[in-house]
Structure formats: C-alpha cells, structure tokens
Amino acid sequence: MRKRTMAVTLTTLMLGGLIAGCSGQTAPTGSTNNGASQKPVTFSWLVYDRPEGKVKTDWEIFKEIEAKTGVKIDWQVVSQEGLLEKRQIMIATNSVTDFIQPTNQEARENGPEKVFLNLKDYLDIAPNLKKFYETYPEAKAVATGADGGIYDVPVLEGDAAGKGFNYIWLARKDLMDKYNLKAPTNVDEFYQFLKTLKEKEPDSFPLSVNTPVTGDVGLYTVFGKIFTGITGFYNQSPTEEKYEFAPAKSGYKDAIAFMNKLYSEKLLDPEYYLLTGAQWEERFLKGKSSVTYWWKAEVNPLLDKAKKAGAPGEFNLDAIPEFAASGVKNYQFSRPVVGTSGRAISAKVKDKERAVKFLDYLVSEEGTKYLSLGIEGKSYTMVDGKPVYNKDFGAVPYVPLRRDFGVWYDNISLNNALARETWERGLDDKSKAINKSYESFIIPAPKAIVKTTEELELEKSKLTPLTKFLEQRITEFVTGKTPINDATYQQFLDQAKKLGSDELLNMYNTAYKRTYNIK
C-alpha cells in the first residue's frame, strides 16, 4: 500500500470560482432506511463549532432523526481553526470518525486505500444515494476514485438550474439620489460615475474592494472578467467549453490600464491591495468609499452596521448592474451545483450496512428537510407549497438555524442549495428586487474537474508561484511602478509562461475533457 499523503488544501484561485444545489429537488425517500425499531447504534462524527453557535447534543432535529432511524450521533468537536489539521491527521493515520466531511479530492484519493467506505458496493441497499448520483453526474464524477469506487456524497451548494448567485456591485444609493446619478451600465459610464462621486465627495476614494485582490470579489478578478470574460486567472470561458488564461486574452492589458487610470485619478482606494476586511468595511461605512463589489447577502447587515457606527440617517445601499467591456459577455457565474467537499463513511465503521443506510436516509427527502430546513412549524413553514424560514429569524436566519437547531450547519448539512433557496424565498422586498435585477446576468457555473496525481503535482508546484508573480506584477502596473506598454506586457506574459502558465492551461483543459468524456 502506498503511503497516504496529507490532504492538499487547494486554492481555487479563480477556477470556477469554486464555493452548488438542487432548487429544493431531493431524491425520494427509499423504503430501506432504518427504522426506530432496529437496535440503537451510535456513530461518531467530526464537526467544529460555528461562530453562530456551538454544536449541541440536544438539537431537536437529531432527536427526531434518532427516533426515525435508531441512530445516535457522538459529535467529535474541534475548533474551526483546528478542523483541517485534525481531519488531515485522521486521514493520514486511517483513524477517521465513522462520519466525516473530507474534500472530494481527499475522498477519492484515500478511499481506494481503505480509509473511506466504497459506497458503490452498497447502492443496492441505498436507493436515495443511487438516485443522487444519477441526478447529479458531476457529483458522481468528483466522488469517484481511480479504482472506480465512489467514496463520498458531495454537498450541494447551488440550484441545479444555475441561477443562484453571490455577488453584486453595491453603491451608496443616498449619494446617487443626492447627486442625481444614474446607475452605470458600461465601462465608460462606470468611470464617469466614479469621477462624479469624487468631484462631489473630494475626500473620498469612490471605489474600494476587499482583499485578496485575486479572491472572488477582488479587484483583479472583477476587472479581469469585465475586460476578458474570464473570471480569475484560470477559468472556463462563458461561451465555450474550454478553460482560458485571462492575462493572455485580448483585453487583459486594457483591464490593467483601466485600473491604473482609476488609481492615478484617485477614484480607487490607494491602499486597495493592502486593506484588511475590517479596514475596507470601516472606509465604506464611514463614507471614505461609496462603490464596491461584494456579497449580496451583506446588504442588510452592512446597513445595520452603518447605523450602529453613527452613519447619517439617509445612508443607504443598493445594487447597480453588472457591466462588461464592448464585445465581452456580461455575466456572473452561478454558485457551483456541487461543492468541493462531501460526506464520507470510515472504511473501519463496525456496522457498514447500517452506516450506509443512515447516510441514505440523510440524503432522502425527509433527511434533507431535517438537515437543511429543520422542523416544520418550529424553524420553517410551508407557503404556497414551498418552505420559508420563520420570519422572526430576521434577515440572517442562518444564525438561529445553526445555533438553535443544527440546521444548515457546516460539516453536517448535505444540501446548502435548499437552505439558500428557502432563505431567499423569505427575503425582504429590496433583496428580492436585487435578485430580480441580476437574473439576466447569471449563467451556470463550470462543472468541477477531477485531476490525476500528476496533474495535482503540477498544479501544486506551479500555481502558487505563478499567482504570486501575477499579483505582484499587476499591482506594479496598476500603481504605476511599471509602465504599461507592449514591451512590458509581453515581458509579463513571457515570464508567466516560464512559470508554467501554458502547462497549467493545458492541464485544466485535459482534465476537464477527461472528467466529462469530451472529445
């Protein structure tokens, strides 16, 4: 048996924007699930305490689940900071808990080494699991090991239709009203929008973004997409079934020149590449900036924080549209349907069939409702035939849901897509209007790809140093330390190639085609 390696934490670095779902559609409840009449059994399960509330042994949903299945959970609780190391040590020493949430990569790499149970061998007694893999072939692909075994149940993150999304352009609506500004719809209008805000509020830097600059809402990710159509340095094209390297695309040099223009004219926060999350938030809430690209779910929390921070009574926020350069597709990828991690069972679990049947129950319609919704009448109600979380949970229902019910809890829930859909169904009118205004921009996210050991080694050795180089050189371009011209940009691309940009691009396309049998 080859020596197991420690799990690799991959920076999804713009590869699809990796953190899926089923629009509330779940597999039918099977007839082979355990009943309460069966002999009680206890399974261990690795979890961590969420900031919203610690793991509890008396959550009502698990009392209900125990009554239905005869299964009791022995939570093995660690801190959020210690979860990754604990899981990696467990995998490396083949001492994982009965139930655990590894990354899909960890599951398919270590499953064949008898760390995780091969679920494929038990699908004849697990109708819900069988239906799950048939409904989500992407989930089956990322859970399948080199030996053909299936080693985890990937968590669903976004609706299957590919319409759920996370980010919006956000601006100070009160300032727009005060200065009679219309929401920009293209690059030129966006520039004029910022320029006017600077003229009217000379002590501010209108545009401010959170770090890292290459994160999902980072400056280089956002403007790279606007000018090239590629989200991040590497990602799938929104118009073709292939991966591309954004800096090599026509338009990326224009993106850098545009960011340099904003920086030079003080329309962009001069410390954009250094800001901590707390500093970015303070600038925004205190009027030092007025435009950003951020999580849509944070609109109401930001408004509440602004009031507590003493912002003027008219302080208000609203979304402005996505925009793109001429000839570039104007879009945002939806949340990925299938997440990067999933539920696995230890290959050493004593009662293998009972464990599989329990996992099958959790994937069933009834089990999914418990983990993602809670208990009808207590955490959610049915409105027009669809679940809605209790109104008294407020704008951020995940806090009481996780704290008081264990619902939508990391490393426990298997269907975050259903939870998000239920949350958004109960949003206030303003949030619903924001969702509606972005509908036309959202397209399905790229499917996950499965890499070979050699491809993973290539990515591990090349991606991080290449990314650091790209970030550093782009920052020099944007801040004016390096002039932007044909010669300097070609030198930039040549050095990127030496660091492996072409090798990585070829690898991503090869892996994608192999994963989904594309010729």
Side-chain angles (χ1 to χ4, degrees):
M1 180 183 296
R2 69 176 175 84
K3 183 180 179 181
R4 283 181 296 275
T5 57
M6 295 291 279
V8 180
T9 303
L10 296 176
T11 303
T12 55
L13 240 185
M14 344 308 337
L15 283 180
L18 290 181
I19 221 208
C22 70
S23 299
Q25 300 172 4
T26 51
T29 305
S31 59
T32 58
N33 290 316
N34 296 330
S37 60
Q38 296 191 51
K39 182 180 178 181
V41 64
T42 298
F43 291 123
S44 59
W45 191 324
L46 181 66
V47 290
Y48 74 92
D49 284 326
R50 287 283 309 178
E52 297 91 339
K54 294 185 176 182
V55 174
K56 297 181 180 178
T57 59
D58 61 349
W59 276 326
E60 191 171 353
I61 63 168
F62 284 98
K63 291 182 179 179
E64 295 270 356
I65 289 172
E66 183 179 356
K68 297 289 178 65
T69 66
V71 174
K72 183 178 180 64
I73 301 300
D74 175 20
W75 301 115
Q76 300 296 303
V77 185
V78 297
S79 67
Q80 184 172 3
E81 297 76 19
L83 177 69
L84 176 61
E85 181 180 7
K86 181 69 172 180
R87 188 181 74 234
Q88 289 179 334
I89 291 173
M90 284 182 165
I91 291 172
T93 58
N94 197 359
S95 58
V96 299
T97 49
D98 296 329
F99 284 79
I100 191 170
Q101 180 164 299
T103 65
N104 299 322
Q105 179 187 322
E106 288 171 335
R108 64 177 181 262
E109 285 186 348
N110 294 280
E113 295 188 38
K114 310 303 181 184
V115 175
F116 303 114
L117 194 65
N118 183 356
L119 301 176
K120 186 177 181 180
D121 293 340
Y122 298 87
L123 294 183
D124 59 331
I125 63 168
N128 299 299
L129 288 177
K130 182 178 180 181
K131 180 66 175 178
F132 176 85
Y133 294 121
E134 290 172 349
T135 304
Y136 301 101
E138 180 184 354
K140 182 178 180 181
V142 299
T144 300
D147 63 346
I150 301 174
Y151 293 100
D152 75 333
V153 178
V155 176
L156 298 178
E157 296 289 356
D159 67 279
K163 282 298 179 183
F165 70 101
N166 289 325
Y167 315 113
I168 57 173
W169 277 106
L170 193 59
R172 285 280 300 278
K173 182 65 167 58
D174 56 306
L175 295 182
M176 292 174 65
D177 292 341
K178 181 179 180 179
Y179 302 124
N180 195 29
L181 294 175
K182 292 183 179 180
T185 60
N186 57 49
V187 172
D188 291 338
E189 289 178 1
F190 182 74
Y191 168 73
Q192 290 298 330
F193 183 72
L194 297 181
K195 195 171 180 63
T196 301
L197 285 170
K198 179 67 176 179
E199 291 170 353
K200 301 296 185 181
E201 305 279 332
D203 293 334
S204 72
F205 300 100
L207 178 62
S208 182
V209 291
N210 211 333
T211 50
V213 288
T214 51
D216 290 334
V217 294
L219 189 74
Y220 302 162
T221 301
V222 174
F223 282 99
K225 177 173 72 87
I226 286 172
F227 282 87
T228 70
I230 304 302
T231 302
F233 292 142
Y234 287 101
N235 214 323
Q236 196 171 102
S237 164
T239 58
E240 298 180 77
E241 212 168 3
K242 69 175 184 178
Y243 278 76
E244 299 197 67
F245 177 53
K249 288 277 290 180
S250 174
Y252 204 88
K253 181 182 170 187
D254 294 333
I256 293 175
F258 185 78
M259 290 185 282
N260 170 256
K261 182 178 182 181
L262 299 183
Y263 180 89
S264 300
E265 297 184 18
K266 302 187 185 306
L267 306 181
L268 170 66
D269 192 307
E271 296 183 319
Y272 74 90
Y273 55 94
L274 298 173
L275 294 180
T276 64
Q279 290 172 326
W280 165 84
E281 186 175 277
E282 181 180 26
R283 280 163 158 76
F284 201 73
L285 297 181
K286 291 190 175 182
K288 294 300 182 181
S289 66
S290 49
V291 180
T292 194
Y293 195 74
W294 194 231
W295 293 79
K296 67 174 184 178
E298 290 299 310
V299 174
N300 286 324
L302 279 174
L303 286 172
D304 291 340
K305 289 178 181 178
K307 292 177 182 178
K308 293 177 182 178
E314 65 272 13
F315 186 101
N316 198 7
L317 302 171
D318 205 355
I320 59 176
E322 291 270 5
F323 60 92
S326 178
V328 176
K329 185 173 180 63
N330 190 16
Y331 78 99
Q332 180 185 154
F333 279 134
S334 69
R335 300 185 192 102
V337 174
V338 177
T340 59
S341 62
R343 197 75 66 253
I345 299 173
S346 169
K348 293 182 176 180
V349 67
K350 290 183 179 180
D351 192 335
K352 293 178 173 55
E353 288 195 4
R354 192 73 180 276
V356 171
K357 287 183 177 181
F358 181 61
L359 182 57
D360 188 70
Y361 174 79
L362 297 181
V363 175
S364 74
E365 182 176 357
E366 185 172 272
T368 295
K369 284 182 177 179
Y370 279 130
L371 298 186
S372 299
L373 302 177
I375 298 174
E376 186 174 357
K378 295 185 177 182
S379 59
Y380 74 97
T381 56
M382 299 300 291
V383 178
D384 297 327
K386 296 182 178 180
V388 178
Y389 292 128
N390 289 356
K391 290 185 177 180
D392 57 3
F393 288 169
V396 285
Y398 50 80
V399 173
L401 284 169
R402 291 168 179 163
R403 180 189 64 218
D404 302 331
F405 293 90
V407 167
W408 197 357
Y409 209 99
D410 286 3
N411 284 255
I412 296 177
S413 176
L414 276 164
N415 194 330
N416 295 330
L418 176 58
R420 290 191 180 100
E421 180 186 308
T422 303
W423 173 23
E424 294 192 356
R425 195 175 289 123
L427 290 172
D428 59 23
D429 291 341
K430 179 175 183 175
S431 297
K432 286 182 178 179
I434 289 175
N435 281 348
K436 185 71 176 177
S437 71
Y438 264 61
E439 277 184 1
S440 63
F441 303 123
I442 311 305
I443 64 174
K447 292 181 290 187
I449 56 179
V450 176
K451 308 179 191 85
T452 64
T453 301
E454 293 74 19
E455 289 167 344
L456 288 168
E457 286 301 318
L458 174 67
E459 185 176 57
K460 182 179 179 181
S461 65
K462 300 288 185 181
L463 187 57
T464 297
L466 173 62
T467 298
K468 289 181 178 179
F469 164 75
L470 295 173
E471 288 180 352
Q472 179 181 350
R473 189 57 58 86
I474 293 170
T475 301
E476 291 174 1
F477 281 137
V478 172
T479 58
K481 293 180 180 178
T482 300
I484 307 167
N485 54 51
D486 290 344
T488 56
Y489 198 76
Q490 189 58 53
Q491 291 170 2
F492 166 66
L493 292 179
D494 290 344
Q495 184 60 30
K497 185 176 294 188
K498 290 180 181 178
L499 291 171
S501 61
D502 286 355
E503 295 171 76
L504 285 165
L505 180 60
N506 180 64
M507 181 271 285
Y508 292 130
N509 278 308
T510 299
Y512 179 77
K513 290 178 181 178
R514 184 186 60 249
T515 302
Y516 298 103
N517 297 314
I518 298 171
K519 303 300 182 183

